[in-house]
Amino acid sequence: MAVVGAVTALAGTNPLADAEPSEQPQARVLGGTSASTEEAPWAVALTDTYGNHFCGGTLVSAGEVVTAAHCVENQLTGGERTPDEIRVIAGRTDLRSTEGTIGAVDDVWVHPDYRDFTSGDDLAVLKLAQPMPQRPLPMVQPGDTEAYRPGTTARVYGWGRTSENGPSSDALRSVDVPINSDRSCKDAYPNYDNRSMFCAGFPEGGKDACAGDSGGPIVSDGKLIGVVSYGTGCGRPGTPGVYTRLANYVPLADDLP
Ligand code: ARG
């Protein structure tokens, strides 16, 4: 993924890169909280056919997973991943275990206007071959703006990196971050588009999503309000995480094949 590439390119210049995760409090993301698929049964991991985790997703009905459009792009070929190249893993807190359900994908819908994550519309839906037994998460109401009120706390889930240059997490983690104003998000990212995105994070950084969390859920008030999309580094001061503003895309069903 492009963000992973950017992060990798920075590795040599980060004096903390070789430090143990415990020695780099500033670079810690996801706030250090373990989560489980018992509390978040709708949080799913996307893997390739070899079982390599590459993104997150959210079960929004028994047969549909919401994720990021950029997760469906194959970074090696530049093409789209085909349905048979994607597995949906549900009910597996620790990806080293064999718990839960492995779902096959029948169809991939990518937002037709998606080009790259910095220009928005970073949204895709995977149609599952079989319904999943896990409880889905309701999506935010169409056009809801209240859900994105600055200062509202939202929770992000993922198996992504726990520090900017560190490895991905085998176990699901979560972190609480406040939603930012459009103004401050625009200051951080000139490409920011409040129609398709929102930002969340603390001004001082320290808590954030990171590489590998893309496509995964950000939840508020028991609803899926967004999808992990991008960010400069992870948990840096002044560059919050950017999420797809789901309320401006629901209902998704109309667009599905
Ligand atoms: N694009 C990243 C991925 O592939 C996720 C970026 C989220 N970054 C952030 N700092 N919030 O997993």
Side-chain angles (χ1 to χ4, degrees):
M1 248 152 276
V3 165
V4 179
V7 161
T8 309
L10 283 165
T13 61
N14 183 344
L16 294 174
D18 297 325
E20 286 300 307
S22 59
E23 295 171 50
Q24 32 175 306
Q26 280 309 101
R28 275 287 275 288
V29 295
L30 289 181
T33 308
S34 309
S36 79
T37 54
E38 311 264 297
E39 56 177 291
W42 27 261
V44 302
L46 306 186
T47 73
D48 63 17
T49 50
Y50 304 102
N52 300 310
H53 162 254
F54 60 86
C55 267
T58 310
L59 202 60
V60 296
S61 72
E64 285 169 329
V65 168
V66 164
T67 187
H70 82 260
C71 286
V72 170
E73 283 185 321
N74 189 327
Q75 292 302 305
L76 296 176
T77 62
E80 240 174 57
R81 294 179 197 262
T82 58
D84 58 288
E85 291 170 341
I86 306 171
R87 300 281 182 274
V88 173
I89 314 291
R92 186 174 296 175
T93 298
D94 190 319
L95 297 180
R96 290 167 300 190
S97 81
T98 55
E99 281 171 13
T101 317
I102 303 177
V105 176
D106 245 3
D107 236 314
V108 176
W109 174 85
V110 176
H111 193 287
D113 298 333
Y114 173 75
R115 281 147 142 238
D116 67 273
F117 48 76
T118 59
S119 45
D121 302 318
D122 193 7
L123 190 65
V125 179
L126 312 179
K127 295 262 262 180
L128 301 174
Q130 303 285 334
M132 288 282 196
Q134 287 79 13
R135 173 169 60 86
L137 185 66
M139 291 187 281
V140 63
Q141 290 295 116
D144 189 341
T145 52
E146 196 47 31
Y148 304 95
R149 199 161 39 81
T152 302
T153 297
R155 185 167 292 178
V156 192
Y157 294 83
W159 288 268
R161 296 182 182 200
T162 56
S163 65
E164 193 171 306
N165 301 297
S168 279
S169 178
D170 289 314
L172 182 63
R173 298 179 79 77
S174 73
V175 68
D176 287 347
V177 278
I179 294 174
N180 296 177
S181 67
D182 289 332
R183 173 64 210 272
S184 71
C185 195
K186 181 87 185 164
D187 286 347
Y189 301 102
N191 273 332
Y192 176 71
D193 165 26
N194 70 356
R195 191 190 50 81
S196 60
M197 312 168 188
F198 70 97
C199 279
F202 292 94
E204 70 275 24
K207 296 186 176 191
D208 194 6
C210 199
D213 291 322
S214 277
I218 182 164
V219 179
S220 171
D221 201 18
K223 294 191 184 67
L224 182 68
I225 63 166
V227 176
V228 176
S229 181
Y230 71 100
T232 298
C234 305
R236 297 188 191 178
T239 54
V242 187
Y243 299 83
T244 306
R245 190 181 287 251
L246 196 59
N248 289 355
Y249 294 96
V250 284
L252 300 170
D254 295 349
D255 295 315
L256 292 175

